[in-house]
Amino acid sequence: MSFFNREAETMSLSQLRRLQNERLQDKVNLLYNRVAFYRELMTAQGLVPGDIRTTEDLYKLPFTKKDALRQQYPFGLFTCSRSEVARLHCSSGTTGKPIVVGYTLNDVDLFAEVVARSLSAAGCRPGMLLQNAYGYGLFTGGLGLHYGAEKLGMTVLPISGGGTEKQLMLMQDFQSEVICCTPSYALTLAEEIRKKAIDRSRINLKYAVLGAEPWTESIRAAVEEGLGVTATNIYGLSEIIGPGVSQEDYEEKGSGSYIWEDHFYPEVVDKDTGEPLPYGEQGVLVFTTLSKEAMPLLRYWTNDITSIYYDKSAKRTHIKMAPIAGRADDMLIIRGVNLFHTQVEAVLEHIPELSANYQLVVTHNGTMDEVEVKVEAEASLFEALSREHTEVLECERLRTAMAHLRKKIKDDIGLSMNASLSEPGAIPRSEGGKLNRIADLRKH
């Protein structure tokens, strides 16, 4: 059993609460005195810093939402002068001005600390070679994983995203032991290994640390089989710090990801009312940063849907979060039914004839919204069937699988959906960045 920081990761809950409350008071005072946005926010609520003494007082504060960060562009939320900021990152937003995130030197060290903890929980050890296929630059993923891996004592190959041919060449030549990337890109790598008939004995990977997009057990199974790894989830967002806010332990797969709550205090709230929800209930994840210097945030509304809970059988004392079901603003409401694309992904997990690569296409037909599931035949099955059938996609086994898919979606999700089957490779792949599983044609 390995910990990067055993003292922090296993402290008692009473110690953890004392530390959280001390750090919270410091941050509330800092923000009130140095950031006009928060001073005005608290004044409007009739609050002064002394009113927020413990984490139980956080409910008195309104949420900080992404629009506020955009309105304070570029440096309006900084607690220090720009010259005291050691690094700037920006969100990957596609419209308007990006969200800017600043880090002091201490923040950079904190970032490395929580990523090192995460990598250690994922099975990584000093001396291992980590192939970092997250994008470098303004995105926090590349540099975040890079600094954390170096802090853990790993060797880092900073290859960045994309360039699949080179990824596979260096993976073999350098004998990389860990791959860090999005789950959809891990699937792309696994598929290319199969297509090129690369001898698996030439692949030395042991662990895959995957994040930046929601994924399910079916994706885990496909990645683990295709790459020969143990795959775990790393979670984070630029506004809070970047990757390393939470991490799944490689020996506790499927039981949730630890949130490093000595630095990031989590809440889950009702997406409509904002009321705090009990442990175990699903809602919007909200974070208060307890240690950041340059740009701490109070009650940041992540828009991610999950639940949080304590696992008394776990090796660490920190709270856990369930896999992200989706984002509140990405939730589709189809004929009155709430739908996340990960629900369809979970259905595919039980149909081996179909690939884990899929896309939901949303259209508007008259007065009704419709969803079509586009999915590929499983590659090795498709190749085997193609030797027997001229019209492979029409063969009985695949027709039966598609009928099973439609029925299971109806039974499990409560929606009737159209479903179409494609050849392997027909649906868009990740080239290193995030993959959009939903094509919403209602907007065009």
Side-chain angles (χ1 to χ4, degrees), residues 183-237:
S184 54
Y185 191 56
L187 282 177
T188 297
L189 292 172
E191 189 173 75
E192 286 301 304
I193 289 171
R194 183 195 60 79
K195 279 184 182 177
K196 297 178 184 303
I198 294 172
D199 184 350
R200 283 278 295 274
S201 68
R202 297 178 61 188
I203 304 293
N204 191 41
L205 290 178
K206 296 175 176 63
Y207 301 102
V209 184
L210 311 178
E213 59 192 28
W215 54 298
T216 60
E217 290 299 319
S218 60
I219 298 294
R220 191 203 305 271
V223 169
E224 291 188 336
E225 168 63 25
L227 296 180
V229 295
T230 297
T232 55
N233 186 64
I234 190 168
Y235 171 83
L237 56 165

Side-chain angles (χ1 to χ4, degrees), residues 14-254:
S14 60
Q15 289 176 303
L16 193 53
R17 291 290 178 264
R18 283 196 297 272
L19 180 62
Q20 289 171 331
N21 292 337
E22 290 169 6
R23 289 178 169 174
L24 176 62
Q25 289 173 32
D26 288 343
K27 290 308 161 205
V28 170
N29 276 289
L30 180 70
L31 289 165
Y32 186 86
N33 291 319
R34 296 196 184 179
V35 179
F37 169 79
Y38 276 113
R39 184 165 55 252
E40 292 165 6
L41 196 70
M42 291 179 67
T43 300
Q45 299 293 315
L47 297 171
V48 294
D51 295 322
I52 312 298
R53 302 190 61 81
T54 73
T55 56
E56 293 180 358
D57 295 322
L58 278 170
Y59 76 92
K60 300 174 184 176
L61 292 167
F63 301 107
T64 304
K65 295 196 175 182
K66 188 167 285 191
D67 282 349
L69 275 65
R70 290 195 179 101
Q71 291 162 9
Q72 298 300 315
Y73 177 90
F75 308 136
L77 289 176
F78 287 7
T79 63
C80 55
S81 67
R82 205 280 309 146
S83 63
E84 296 175 85
V85 172
R87 189 194 297 173
L88 295 169
H89 280 291
C90 293
S91 71
S92 56
T94 56
T95 59
K97 300 282 189 181
I99 289 170
V100 179
V101 185
Y103 301 75
T104 64
L105 283 174
N106 286 336
D107 291 337
V108 171
D109 287 342
L110 167 62
F111 197 1
E113 155 78 21
V114 294
V115 173
R117 284 189 203 180
S118 298
L119 291 172
S120 182
C124 303
R125 299 294 178 261
M128 284 185 174
L129 176 56
L130 180 144
Q131 184 163 326
N132 189 8
Y134 281 115
Y136 281 67
L138 292 177
F139 174 59
T140 53
L143 284 172
L145 266 295
H146 186 121
Y147 274 57
E150 289 183 341
K151 191 173 183 72
L152 181 56
M154 304 180 76
T155 302
V156 181
L157 175 61
I159 192 168
S160 195
T164 302
E165 290 280 344
K166 183 174 282 189
Q167 296 273 2
L168 294 177
M169 179 186 75
L170 297 183
M171 186 184 294
Q172 296 170 79
D173 294 348
F174 291 6
Q175 290 289 281
S176 306
E177 294 159 280
V178 182
I179 183 75
C180 294
C181 60
T182 63
S184 54
Y185 191 56
L187 282 177
T188 297
L189 292 172
E191 189 173 75
E192 286 301 304
I193 289 171
R194 183 195 60 79
K195 279 184 182 177
K196 297 178 184 303
I198 294 172
D199 184 350
R200 283 278 295 274
S201 68
R202 297 178 61 188
I203 304 293
N204 191 41
L205 290 178
K206 296 175 176 63
Y207 301 102
V209 184
L210 311 178
E213 59 192 28
W215 54 298
T216 60
E217 290 299 319
S218 60
I219 298 294
R220 191 203 305 271
V223 169
E224 291 188 336
E225 168 63 25
L227 296 180
V229 295
T230 297
T232 55
N233 186 64
I234 190 168
Y235 171 83
L237 56 165
S238 299
E239 299 92 319
I240 299 304
I241 201 162
V245 173
S246 78
Q247 171 66 44
E248 190 177 23
D249 188 283
Y250 77 109
E251 294 180 325
E252 301 173 355
K253 291 188 308 177

Side-chain angles (χ1 to χ4, degrees), residues 5-21 261-262 310 315-319:
N5 186 339
R6 180 185 290 269
E7 182 179 358
E9 295 172 45
T10 62
M11 70 171 65
S12 70
L13 285 182
S14 60
Q15 289 176 303
L16 193 53
R17 291 290 178 264
R18 283 196 297 272
L19 180 62
Q20 289 171 331
N21 292 337
E261 58 172 322
D262 51 333
Y310 284 101
K315 64 177 72 169
R316 295 170 180 81
T317 52
H318 292 231
I319 202 166

Side-chain angles (χ1 to χ4, degrees), residues 337-355:
V337 177
N338 296 343
L339 172 66
F340 292 106
H341 69 81
T342 49
Q343 292 172 278
V344 174
E345 195 169 291
V347 169
L348 288 169
E349 179 182 344
H350 303 286
I351 308 176
E353 294 85 358
L354 304 179
S355 163

